[in-house]
Every structure is written in C-alpha cells, then in structure tokens.
Amino acid sequence: MVLTTLPLVPLPAAVVVHEGRMPLTATARVHGSSPAAGILIDALARRGGPALSPADAGDDAPAPGDIVLRTDAEGSASEGYSLRIGDHVDIVGDDEAGLFYGVQTLLQLARQDDDGWSVPRTEITDAPRFPHRGVMLDVARHFFDVSEVKKFIDATSALKFNRLHLHLSDDQGWRVHIDSWPLLTELSSTTAASGDAGGFYTKDDYRDIVAYAASRHMILIPEIDLPGHTHAVGVAYPELVEAPVLNDALVTQAENLGQPLPVAGESYLGWGVGHSSVRIREERTYDFVRDVVRELAEMTPGPYIHIGGDESLGTSQEDFDHFAERATQIVVDAGKTPVAWHEMGAAAGIAEGTVGQYWGMKIPTGAHAAEAAHFVERGGALIMSAADAAYLDMKYTADFPLGLTWAAIIDVRTAYEWEPTAVLEVPDEAILGVEAPLWSETTRTIDDVEQLVFPRAAAEAEIAWSPKHAPERTWESFRGRLGTLAPLWKAEGVRFHPSADIPWSDR
Ligand code: ACM
C-alpha cells in the first residue's frame, strides 16, 4: 500500500492508494436509485468516456467494473462518503449529498490513457472540514440568466461547494420579482453596470434556480443589500430612498473611469459605492423590508436571508445601527436566520444568531475585527470572505483584462494560502466556513465570470473542505492536482484562466 497524490481537488480527508487501475468500460452498470447515478453517467459521457448504463432495478450484485451507489444512514458525518475501488466501485454516502460528492470524486479519478478509461484502485474516506462552503454571484451589477446560473451551480458543486449566495440587488439593478412592490423589476431591472442590458428572475425562475441548486446539494442564500446599495430601489420607489451622497472617493473614481455620477430616480450605470441609502427613519421603509423578506422567505427553503449591510458610507452610525437591529429582527420574524456583511456587527442589538460575513483583509483593519466578533457575542457565527484572498473579482495579475484591484492582486497561490480561522480572534467553532464572492462590475458575460472564478474557486473549495493539517495541503501538491481539472472543465465548457503557475494536463 502506498500513499500518493491522486488528481483530486479538494483533497479528501483520507486516501489509501492500492496498486493498479480498474478499467471503466461501456459494459459497466451503475447500481442504485440515487439521482447521482444519472449525474455520473451524463458527466462521463460529456468527457467522451464510456457510455455507462443503469443496472436493472433490484440488481444489487455488482459485476467486475460496475459502480455501486448507495447511502448509509448509519454514517455519522453529514455530507461525507466512502469510495472503494477494487474490482468494482463502491460509493457509500452518509446522505445524498455525500453520495453526490463521492460521484464528483470518482469523476475526477476517471482518466483516459493509451489503454482506455480507468480509475485507480483506492480507498477514500471523506467529509468536509466546514459546513459552509460558499460561492457568491453578483447578478445585480451584471445579470446572468437562469441557464447561466445553472452552469455556475454545476461547476461549483463539482468542487463540493454547498452554498450559492445570489447578490440580487444593488445600486445598478433589482433582479428578483416581488409581487407587493412590482415596480422594482418593472423599472429597476432593465439596465446593468456600464450601460449593459439588465434582466430579472420571475418567481418561477427563482424557484427553478432553488430547485436546481438543491439537486446539486447547494442551498441558495438570497441577498437584498440594505440599507445602502439601494439606488435601484429609488428608481422604482423614490419615496423609499435618500438623495445620493456624493463622497470625494466616488467623484474621483467616476472622473477616473469616465463614468456618470448617480442621479436620483435615474438608473445608475457606474461602479461607485456608498452613495445610497433607504430612508431609515421612515416606517414605510420597514413595510418594504418586511414585504421583500416575507416574499423571499416564502420561496427560499434554505435557512438564510442575507440583508447586506456593507458600505453605507453616507449614513450616520446611529441610523445604521437602528436599521441593522430592525432589519435583522424582521428576518428572524420571517422564520429565517439573517446573514449580514460584517459592518452590521457594529449594532449592539443586532438580532441574536445573525451570521456575519467578514469581507475585511486577512489582517483586519479598523473596526472590522470587532464588528465581526460581535456576531459571535450575539450567539451567531461567521462566514469568512477575506477580500485579499477569497474575492474572485480581484485580478490575477496587474494586467489581467478582467477584475478590480482595490483589495489585492490575487494569483492562484494567494487564493490558496490563507487560513480562515487565523484572521479573527474568535473561537474556531464560530467559523461556519468560507465563501468566495464574484462581484460583477467588469464581467459582462458568464464567460468573463468563469475566467475569474476558475481556477481560484478550487483553492477556496480546498480550504473549505480539506483537513487543515493534511500532508498534501500544500501549494506544491495543490498546483499539481489543480492542473488535472483542466480536461474536466473543458468537457463542461467552463472557461478558466490558464494561469502559468499551474501545470495543466490534457487528459
Ligand atoms: C463588499 O465587498 N462590499 C461586501
């Protein structure tokens, strides 16, 4: 028995490699009634691999080369699985999510060489380090339609991400229909950043995304960004929003980029932040928040509603705290757990159990660490999105054509080499996990999005899934394993940045 590196990202918790390989051929049958069987058969076919077929119902005697998929309710770790490859393949999920992840691991192991398709004989026992492994897609600055979001779900769930945070509203647009405030989508969804076309999800579209995400074991976290980032709300309902506050940074940035400044009641096409706020001392604002949260909660089976809280730069601390306390309570009253960007932790009375999302730097500055810690003091927990490591919209290199640089330039190694429990002085148990956000100012197409997301999302996936102290949790091991994902991404039509730091393989 030898322990060697397999072509796997994220690295599994425990791997034993045996001698030899098991051929994968078109005579193989896939046993088991799980939807993961169809996912396996279809994905291998897209790779140009052998056309596997399902075994007859009730046929549970695997022949050599067959693949058996089952769940075992006795399994202790949620989302875990074991995978054994001898003369046939056995994948046992602790639950359906675990089985799905076992199938993703098998798909990464399946390789073609001159002798055909095969998988290495191995024994893997695997389960995630963190329960929260998230990606965020900003569909507000630029809009991505249902089929594009589904493709994003496919590519990220294959890396064992289990949370999809959709940033559904911002200054540039409102992207989900709300029956009780219909002008939000009627008037505030048609444009996007840089004057591009917008769009929005009908409620059926939204439910379709929720269901598709669930079929890939991802929970949808909808975000309505409040009280700032609300210029688009004012385009639809001027009485809800204050006049734009034009701070010096905003004006300078608009000049440098040749972009317009925000004008009350008109669609905003620039990239500036911090100029908008809902009217915090008007009761009507809370009717609005309550209605939006209720309608979102009704069509969101997951436990979370994210209510934003970042960059309310024109709002007094007193007003901001007042809003944070009321808005988080509204989410609780709707039966959901609030999630908020870390600034909302400034509010002493933020609703108990609110989850904070830390987006400061790996070495916190200003009040960010204290704000984040306050969520924990209030019985909540933290999602870590350190902007100088996990922000997927930062450029890989200074001259990369897409992305921004305000937090950092983040090459693949920088995305990989950070530790989410080492940023803040909170107990390790307070860290729910990691989320990698993609803000879409510069990404006009899903192709652009994918080039920023891949391969760096794979680095965040490994940080979120793999044991912190595994011998192969090193940059040298990771870059070698990462290179082996290229043929899988190519087969799925996923654009990725072919970073020169990675030894990409052909098959
Ligand atoms: C953020 O990047 N404004 C959360």
Side-chain angles (χ1 to χ4, degrees), residues 136 141 167 170 223 225 229 273 309-311 341-343 357 359 387 391 393 406 437 439:
M136 189 206 83
R141 269 50 171 270
H167 183 75
D170 212 301
E223 179 190 356
D225 204 349
H229 291 273
V273 298
D310 57 323
E311 297 175 312
W341 298 108
H342 69 245
E343 288 100 311
Q357 183 166 6
W359 66 282
Y391 263 37
D393 60 311
W406 62 262
W439 302 97

Side-chain angles (χ1 to χ4, degrees), residues 15 20 85 87 95 132 172 218 223 279 356 393 439 494 501:
V15 178
I85 304 175
D87 73 344
D95 48 22
H132 187 112
Q172 295 81 357
M218 289 182 106
E223 179 190 356
R279 293 191 177 156
D393 60 311
W439 302 97
V494 172
D501 302 334

Side-chain angles (χ1 to χ4, degrees), residues 313-335:
L313 305 180
T315 306
S316 73
Q317 192 67 48
E318 192 188 350
D319 278 1
F320 179 79
D321 292 357
H322 176 82
F323 182 86
E325 291 173 6
R326 291 195 64 178
T328 52
Q329 190 57 46
I330 285 171
V331 175
V332 171
D333 292 346

Side-chain angles (χ1 to χ4, degrees), residues 388-389 391-405 408-416 438 442-443 447-460 475 478 482 489 494-502 504:
D388 52 353
Y391 263 37
L392 300 174
D393 60 311
M394 294 298 119
K395 289 179 184 287
Y396 292 93
T397 53
D399 61 355
F400 197 73
L402 300 165
L404 302 174
T405 57
I409 287 171
I410 302 180
D411 60 14
V412 184
R413 184 170 188 163
T414 304
Y416 184 70
L438 186 285
T442 68
T443 55
D447 225 65
D448 291 348
V449 168
E450 289 175 352
Q451 288 180 66
L452 285 171
V453 170
F454 305 100
R456 288 179 297 188
E460 305 318 310
W475 166 245
F478 176 72
L482 181 60
W489 283 334
V494 172
R495 280 292 292 268
F496 62 95
H497 169 51
S499 162
D501 302 334
I502 309 301
W504 300 105

Side-chain angles (χ1 to χ4, degrees), residues 431-500:
I431 306 296
L432 278 181
V434 174
E435 185 182 297
L438 186 285
W439 302 97
S440 63
E441 286 92 335
T442 68
T443 55
R444 310 177 92 154
T445 65
I446 197 72
D447 225 65
D448 291 348
V449 168
E450 289 175 352
Q451 288 180 66
L452 285 171
V453 170
F454 305 100
R456 288 179 297 188
E460 305 318 310
E462 178 144 318
I463 291 167
W465 179 280
S466 306
K468 179 179 169 183
H469 294 300
E472 291 174 88
R473 269 286 275 115
T474 63
W475 166 245
E476 271 311 313
S477 167
F478 176 72
R479 62 188 279 277
R481 289 180 286 110
L482 181 60
T484 67
L485 295 186
L488 283 82
W489 283 334
K490 285 181 183 160
E492 299 292 345
V494 172
R495 280 292 292 268
F496 62 95
H497 169 51
S499 162

Side-chain angles (χ1 to χ4, degrees), residues 107-148:
L107 282 165
Q108 291 185 359
L109 291 174
R111 300 287 159 168
Q112 185 184 27
D113 62 18
D114 293 343
D115 298 327
W117 284 83
S118 64
V119 286
R121 295 185 201 276
T122 180
E123 283 172 62
I124 293 175
T125 312
D126 202 7
R129 177 180 176 199
F130 289 111
H132 187 112
R133 306 179 304 280
V135 280
M136 189 206 83
L137 185 60
D138 171 8
V139 297
R141 269 50 171 270
H142 279 96
F143 180 69
F144 304 101
D145 68 20
V146 173
S147 65
E148 292 168 330

